[in-house]
Each structure stands twice: as C-alpha cells, then as structure tokens.
Amino acid sequence: MLNAKRRFPMYSITQSQVSFESGGKHIRLDCFLPDANGQRFPAVIGLHGSGGGHASMADPAILLAEHGFAVYVLHYFDRTGTTEIDGLQTIFRHFPVWMKTLWDAVSFVARQPHIDPDRIGLLGFSLGAYLALSASAIDSRIQAVVEFFGGMPKEMKFFARRLCPVLILHGEQDKTVPVEEAYHLQQLLEKKQIPYEMQIYPEVGHGFTGQTWRDAGLRTLAFLEKHLASRS
C-alpha cells in the first residue's frame, strides 16, 4: 500500500491463519497481528472483492498491523464453496449467507483476548465493500467502515437500523461500480447525520494503483486511527 512516516508507533507483526465455524463450514481468517505485550488492539476485518484475491489483501493488512491494528482477512467464499463469480445472480444468491458469515466472523474476532471488542471496523473492496456497508447497517459492534469502490445495496437502505462512520474511496471513471454509488452512499450518510469522509479520484477506474493507492492508504490509516484507535 505505502510506507509513510506517520505518528503511529510501528509494531512487529505475526502472520498466521485460523478458522472458525459458520453454518457448519470451516471459514479461514488470515491474521496479521501486532505483537501484543498485554495490549488489546482495535480490530479490522478485511473483505476481498468478487475475484477472491486473499493474497492481494496482505499489503494493506500488513500496513495496518504495523500501525497497531489487528487485521483479519475473511475468506467468506469458504461458506458457499465459491471460487469465482460468474454473474450477478451468484452474488444475489450468496449475499445473505456471506452476511451471516461476516456476523459470525465479528463474533469470533471479538472473543480474541488481544482484541478490544468495542473497537471493530471493516475494510472492504468492491463486493467486500458492499458486504461491509450492509453489515454495518445492522450490526452495532461495527464502529467504522473503509469502503473501496463499493456501495450500499439499495435493499439495505430500507433495513438499516444504524450506520457508523464511513470512508468512501472511489474512482470517477469506474465502469464496474459506477461512481454514483459513492454519491448515493454520501446522501444516505448525510441524511442520517453520520460522519463520513470521501475521496473521488478523477480519471481512475475500478481498482487503485500507484499514487492513488498510496493516497488511499494514508486516508485509510488516518480514518481508522480517528474512529477506532483513538476510541477508549
């Protein structure tokens, strides 16, 4: 993502993989954990996009862990045996089950001894961002969401019981998830008077690279520090 000098302390980290049960299935979590030394850390659950891409989540996960966040990358496709998305129907069919899997993941993470259960956030990319925002609308344990080029499903706008602070990051030229999704989310958050930050990147499509990726990383760190790390 980026290596930038900030006021966060740097932690050495341990990488591992654990699993928990959801719906009778074993669900994997890639763990990127700061060395605890008796501390309890804020947790961030990472949610990949429709292409899977667990390996691509390692870069942002390591960065956040080095700065004092316990990061868990959720293999939510394990619940449905999904290896690839062959169309929107697959997403519509599995979305409620993935939501339940995420709920169970939050429960599992909240029970870990080195986690502060009152400081749990979500980091979602594309499909994972839709899941993160949907979960945040019904799960009061989620205190912050960073969403990369996703949106809030229209159906969830009717079922939303609450919302939490959101960082919206989107490319203006996104052809996969149109930038209108970002503006619709902005309107929803403003209507409910929920704190948010938003950055729309001109001439950027679906997926960030280079300077856009680095800038998004800085914004992610600052946002999560503000809404998770600084909470008591």
Side-chain angles (χ1 to χ4, degrees), residues 130-153:
Y130 279 95
L131 280 170
L133 289 164
S134 298
S136 74
I138 60 174
D139 191 342
S140 62
R141 298 172 298 176
I142 297 167
Q143 300 301 312
V145 171
V146 177
E147 71 94 6
F148 281 70
F149 33 87
M152 177 71 79

Side-chain angles (χ1 to χ4, degrees), residues 123-178:
L123 170 66
F125 292 80
S126 194
L127 172 59
Y130 279 95
L131 280 170
L133 289 164
S134 298
S136 74
I138 60 174
D139 191 342
S140 62
R141 298 172 298 176
I142 297 167
Q143 300 301 312
V145 171
V146 177
E147 71 94 6
F148 281 70
F149 33 87
M152 177 71 79
K154 295 179 177 61
E155 296 79 6
M156 288 306 300
K157 295 175 184 177
F158 300 104
F159 296 105
R161 295 197 293 263
R162 46 88 71 182
L163 288 172
C164 63
V166 178
L167 172 60
I168 304 167
L169 301 165
H170 216 107
E172 189 177 49
Q173 301 302 317
D174 195 325
K175 305 301 182 185
T176 303
V177 179

Side-chain angles (χ1 to χ4, degrees), residues 12 19 41 78 98 114 124 129 133 143 149 162 169 194 204 214:
S12 57
S19 65
F41 294 102
D78 286 355
W98 292 332
H114 53 278
L133 289 164
Q143 300 301 312
F149 33 87
R162 46 88 71 182
L169 301 165
I194 302 297
V204 172
R214 288 187 287 273

